[in-house]
Amino acid sequence: MRRPDQQTTTRPTTGPAPETGAAADTPAAGATGAESLSGGTPGPGHPAGTGPAGDLTTEAVLAPYLRAQAADFLRSLRLHHEHSAPADSGGHDAAAATRALRRAARRISGSLHTFRAALDPLWADQLRTELTWLTGVLAREHAYANRLTRLVEALHQLSGPALPAARGTRAAGEGAASDAQGRAALGVGAARAGALLERRLTLARTRSHSAALQALGSSRFHAVADAVALLASDVPLAPGPAGRGSEELLEPAERAEQRLLAAVAALPPEDSEPYNEAQDAAWHQARLLLRLHRYAHEVVLGAADPALAAPGHALDLHRDAVEAAGAAAAAARTPRIAPATAYALGVLHADQRHEVEAARAVFRESWPYATVLTAP
């Protein structure tokens, strides 16, 4: 835990930069030390050992970053086409190429959002909208597959020889007979609940796969690919002197940080009700702002803040648990299902909502800026 009054970012200073790991979509968890805009792995515009504010210009930092992400996008697209060919049996390679494509698209879109003032605003807004559409379409199939795996594994654990203590539905003081009865009812309904979830989520995944293939073959996607190809060689900057000074990068990065801190400060308190789904939106917003802050940190310093790896992972788990709980609740509303099936789905929903609360606790424990979480 760092000092409560320590900020996540400060303005770059001259002098040697501390060594950090290579930039990645998710930095290595367990990294220590404060990675801030006062130092870190040098970005595309400032070599190691230097970092004066004068070097943090759009031409020196942001433009090379966007060109590099555009090149990654095009490389991933080529690999996706190669591994998606009928003669190619590498489904895993195609999925990896899709993830890399989404990764580059998210970084381009996030940078266009944060540093919009330094770029041609009309061009940035249009491309960001199209990249948001693309990442959403490509993410659905992966999300449904992960959701099914998560729910089936949870059902298997819940319907085992004994209910886990943290997830059990037995109230304190009830007898062993009531516990055994609950396990028996859960065991009967778990198999049917799993089959129901598999049918629903497999159908949704198949439809998402078809929608992704259709999107990748559409004229809309080809327009996006053409725009990214142009970005790989030319970054449209804001007209005039705007966007040419260091303040045009530092101020947006600091605003992204402050939005994140404000969102975390506004999160529901620790003793809030875990089943209150109305509180989920605030956590989802914090996750989005944390991602934008990480991307801004990558632009200015060349690497995401490793201290935020664990909180970011906790928010990802929170999102997964929320969506899994929603899938279990939706399946429980299926007409004319057996009572045992509905019971198993209800237990599964409760289990995932407890996972939501556990993810929130992990986030609070791993968040490195204590004053934010203790703010009234």
Side-chain angles (χ1 to χ4, degrees), residues 282-292 312 315-316 319:
W283 291 88
H284 294 330
Q285 178 68 7
R287 175 179 173 273
L288 173 62
L289 293 176
L290 177 58
R291 173 176 286 180
L292 291 175
L315 291 179
D316 288 342
R319 186 245 354 236

Side-chain angles (χ1 to χ4, degrees), residues 23-204:
D25 189 42
T26 302
T32 58
E35 173 80 11
S36 69
L37 295 186
S38 60
T41 301
H46 37 280
T50 63
D55 289 349
L56 293 177
T57 62
T58 302
E59 295 93 335
V61 176
L62 180 58
Y65 179 85
L66 289 175
R67 285 197 294 266
Q69 296 302 326
D72 287 344
F73 180 97
L74 298 174
R75 188 180 306 111
S76 302
L77 180 59
R78 177 178 57 81
L79 292 175
H80 183 275
H81 286 330
E82 291 177 356
H83 295 298
S84 299
D88 192 292
S89 59
H92 175 75
D93 292 334
T98 302
R99 288 193 297 270
L101 187 67
R102 289 168 45 210
R103 177 184 182 275
R106 287 198 307 265
R107 277 162 169 73
I108 297 173
S109 177
S111 300
L112 296 179
H113 173 79
T114 301
F115 302 105
R116 178 179 181 272
L119 303 165
D120 182 337
L122 296 179
W123 167 82
D125 290 344
Q126 182 178 4
L127 181 56
R128 181 167 60 89
T129 299
E130 295 304 293
L131 289 174
T132 300
W133 160 77
L134 177 62
T135 54
V137 170
L138 296 179
R140 292 191 189 105
E141 178 184 0
H142 178 71
Y144 283 124
N146 285 353
R147 201 170 306 159
L148 176 59
T149 300
R150 181 187 184 95
L151 290 172
V152 170
E153 290 179 353
L155 268 178
H156 179 72
Q157 294 177 4
L158 291 170
S159 60
L163 289 175
R167 303 176 178 179
T169 58
R170 179 171 56 91
E174 288 185 351
S178 177
D179 190 12
Q181 184 179 3
R183 290 198 304 271
L186 182 59
V188 170
R192 294 180 178 179
L196 176 60
L197 288 169
E198 186 170 1
R199 287 197 303 271
R200 291 172 60 92
L201 294 177
T202 299
L203 177 60

Side-chain angles (χ1 to χ4, degrees), residues 6-36:
Q6 185 173 355
Q7 292 184 341
T8 59
T9 59
T10 55
R11 290 181 176 268
T13 57
T14 57
E19 295 183 0
T20 61
D25 189 42
T26 302
T32 58
E35 173 80 11
S36 69

